[in-house]
Amino acid sequence: SIPDPQVRARRSAILGIVAFVQVPLVYLSVTLVRTLHQGLTFTGPDSSVDEGFIGPLLINLAAFTLVYAAFVSYRAHLATIEDKLEEEEAIADLELAGLGISEPKLRGAEADG
């Protein structure tokens, strides 16, 4: 929603940093404050998850990871195409030096022919 690529990149970077900082905070809030959250569910041999669910869970995790990687790859390819298009448009809009100069029209001079 932000048209300026510099501002958009800066805000996206700030959002990424804030999100990265929140990951350990969320993990600690789940493990330390057990009054609001369920404890760790998928942890080792004493896990409360039924063994029949672990296989499908890991398969789905792998599938969604591959889909996510495909989406990221496609988006990166699309961003490259957009950058090339913006660069070509910027070059096309650029006026070359000297294009506004025309040859002088002299009165009384005969044209060479």
Side-chain angles (χ1 to χ4, degrees):
S1 67
I2 301 171
D4 184 17
Q6 296 287 341
V7 174
R8 182 174 56 227
R10 186 177 302 117
R11 289 185 184 176
S12 296
I14 291 170
L15 180 65
I17 291 169
V18 169
F20 181 77
V21 169
Q22 285 184 347
V23 169
L25 295 175
V26 169
Y27 176 78
L28 288 175
S29 70
V30 170
T31 56
L32 295 178
V33 186
R34 291 194 170 199
T35 57
L36 296 176
H37 301 285
Q38 173 182 343
L40 297 174
T41 304
F42 190 63
T43 56
D46 59 342
S47 174
S48 62
V49 176
D50 187 56
E51 290 180 18
F53 288 111
I54 294 175
L57 174 69
L58 294 176
I59 291 170
N60 282 316
L61 177 65
F64 278 105
T65 302
L66 290 174
V67 168
Y68 174 73
F71 283 158
V72 168
S73 173
Y74 179 72
R75 181 62 184 113
H77 179 66
L78 185 61
T80 303
I81 292 171
E82 287 174 347
D83 288 343
K84 286 181 183 177
L85 181 63
E86 285 179 9
E87 184 178 317
E88 288 174 4
E89 287 176 351
I91 290 173
D93 290 342
L94 191 79
E95 282 193 31
L96 297 177
L99 285 181
I101 300 173
S102 60
E103 64 183 61
K105 296 183 179 170
L106 301 174
R107 296 183 193 191
E110 294 181 23
D112 294 334

